[in-house]
């Protein structure tokens, strides 16, 4: 089986009618169209956070999520979102979560999806005060319950903020504290059935050691804020990733450029 991952789309309301808003929407549309044309569809498509660009509460904020929903609802394969620091829990839940996915009393965007060959577990790392990652005892306890539902089946864990240092970043640790990041890694380290930890936020692609697990980060789909270095002819081409689970439960990952937009092709 394989998964498709997209991340950090940073959509803007089309009501702004700016070239940047149109470009970011086109970046996402191109990826959706490319994934939909795959002969074998992914078992699931996950978005690892920052679906929209931060905006104050009100019509601009709501229009960003409406645009995201209009584009992402075109996906053929099942779609699952992760919350990023620029996302709103209430708006993300209202647009993209089925009523029974989180439970009636859910405080955080954490859940487990059961697929045929592997399960998916989403972790909520949104800080309520800063644009970096956070964790707490309540989240860790809930995550532990999700992990314990089946400790033998392969699991992909996905979250927005990687709880690990990335020295290439201006601020290498994108978490509120090393203690919070360490507590999250320590919990994940207890489970040997985790096959890969998939993250966003950093706007660049990296492979990381996270305890005894391997983690990866995804470049931003919004090409204007991407931090990876690409050849000049590819700097404006949106990228998504595919992660394949092999028979030995190892994972291989590949980056794919989206097809040209219909406007560009014309």
């Amino acid at each position: 089986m394989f998964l498709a991952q997209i991340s950090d789309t940073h959509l803007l309301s089309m009501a702004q009618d700016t070239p940047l808003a149109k470009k970011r929407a086109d970046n996402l549309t191109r990826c959706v169209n490319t994934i939909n044309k795959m002969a074998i569809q992914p078992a699931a498509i996950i978005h690892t956070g920052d679906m929209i660009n931060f905006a104050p509460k009100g019509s601009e904020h709501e229009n960003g999520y409406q645009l995201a929903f209009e584009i992402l609802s075109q996906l053929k394969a099942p779609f699952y979102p992760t919350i990023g620091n620029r996302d709103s829990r209430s708006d993300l839940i209202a647009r993209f979560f089925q009523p029974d996915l989180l439970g009636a009393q859910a405080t955080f965007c954490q859940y487990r999806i059961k697929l045929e060959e592997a399960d998916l577990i989403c972790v909520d790392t949104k800080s309520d005060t800063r644009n970096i990652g956070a964790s707490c005892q309540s989240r860790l306890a809930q995550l532990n319950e999700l992990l314990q539902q089946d400790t033998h089946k392969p699991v992909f864990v996905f979250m927005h903020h990687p709880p690990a240092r990335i020295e290439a970043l201006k601020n290498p640790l994108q978490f509120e504290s090393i203690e919070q990041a360490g507590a999250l890694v320590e919990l994940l380290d207890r489970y040997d059935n985790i096959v890969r930890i998939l993250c966003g936020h950093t706007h660049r692609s990296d492979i990381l050691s996270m305890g005894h697990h391997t983690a990866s980060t995804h470049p931003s789909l919004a090409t204007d804020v991407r931090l990876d270095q690409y050849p000049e002819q590819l700097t404006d081409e949106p990228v998504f990733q595919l992660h394949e689970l092999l028979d030995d439960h190892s994972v291989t990952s590949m980056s794919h450029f989206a097809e040209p937009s219909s406007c560009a092709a014309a």
Side-chain angles (χ1 to χ4, degrees), residues 149-170:
Q149 288 180 10
D150 188 335
T151 59
H152 300 288
K153 192 175 183 182
V155 167
F156 286 87
V157 174
F158 55 107
M159 65 186 75
H160 185 61
H161 307 87
R165 291 180 63 87
I166 300 177
E167 298 302 332
L169 298 179
K170 182 178 179 180

Side-chain angles (χ1 to χ4, degrees), residues 30-251:
R30 289 171 61 186
C31 285
V32 167
N33 290 340
T34 304
I35 294 170
N36 279 345
K37 289 181 179 179
M38 290 181 175
I40 300 176
Q41 286 291 291
I45 300 157
I46 58 175
H47 188 307
T48 43
D50 280 0
M51 186 176 291
I52 69 167
N53 209 55
F54 178 77
K57 281 289 186 182
S59 61
E60 290 297 297
H61 192 262
E62 294 165 1
N63 288 344
Y65 279 108
Q66 176 61 28
L67 174 62
F69 182 79
E70 289 173 359
I71 299 173
L72 292 166
S73 63
Q74 301 302 310
L75 285 165
K76 295 179 180 178
F79 171 76
Y80 301 103
T82 316
I83 189 165
N85 47 277
R86 293 176 181 266
D87 290 310
S88 157
R89 283 195 185 93
S90 58
D91 290 334
L92 192 68
I93 290 171
R95 283 288 181 189
F96 290 97
F97 285 77
Q98 296 296 322
D100 59 343
L101 184 60
L102 297 178
Q105 305 300 319
T107 304
F108 302 108
C109 294
Q110 301 195 136
Y111 56 91
R112 183 166 182 153
I113 299 295
K114 298 183 183 301
L115 302 177
E116 184 175 349
E117 297 182 48
D119 287 357
L120 312 177
I121 293 181
C122 175
V123 182
D124 185 328
T125 58
K126 177 181 172 64
S127 168
D128 291 323
T129 59
R130 301 172 64 188
N131 281 337
I132 55 177
S135 189
C136 61
Q137 290 303 312
S138 295
R139 270 181 267 198
L140 292 175
Q142 183 187 30
L143 174 58
N144 192 46
E145 291 179 0
L146 293 171
L147 288 162
Q148 287 183 341
Q149 288 180 10
D150 188 335
T151 59
H152 300 288
K153 192 175 183 182
V155 167
F156 286 87
V157 174
F158 55 107
M159 65 186 75
H160 185 61
H161 307 87
R165 291 180 63 87
I166 300 177
E167 298 302 332
L169 298 179
K170 182 178 179 180
N171 297 310
L173 182 67
Q174 288 288 305
F175 243 73
E176 286 188 352
S177 70
I178 189 66
E179 291 78 17
Q180 287 186 18
L184 176 53
V185 172
E186 190 277 329
L187 173 59
L188 296 174
D189 236 14
R190 300 177 195 169
Y191 293 89
D192 294 330
N193 59 321
I194 295 174
V195 294
R196 180 64 64 86
I197 301 167
L198 304 174
C199 308
H201 183 64
T202 65
H203 293 198
R204 51 176 286 135
S205 179
D206 286 291
I207 299 293
L208 312 168
S209 292
M210 198 173 291
H212 66 259
H213 296 306
T214 298
S216 59
T217 60
H218 193 291
S220 58
L221 205 63
T223 56
D224 59 291
V225 292
R226 192 166 61 194
L227 297 181
D228 276 332
Q229 297 297 313
Y230 293 92
E232 184 177 356
Q233 67 270 27
L234 298 176
T235 54
D236 243 8
E237 302 302 313
V239 173
F240 64 94
Q241 293 181 346
L242 297 177
H243 308 283
E244 183 177 7
L245 179 67
L246 304 179
D247 291 340
D248 63 357
H249 292 176
S250 63
V251 176

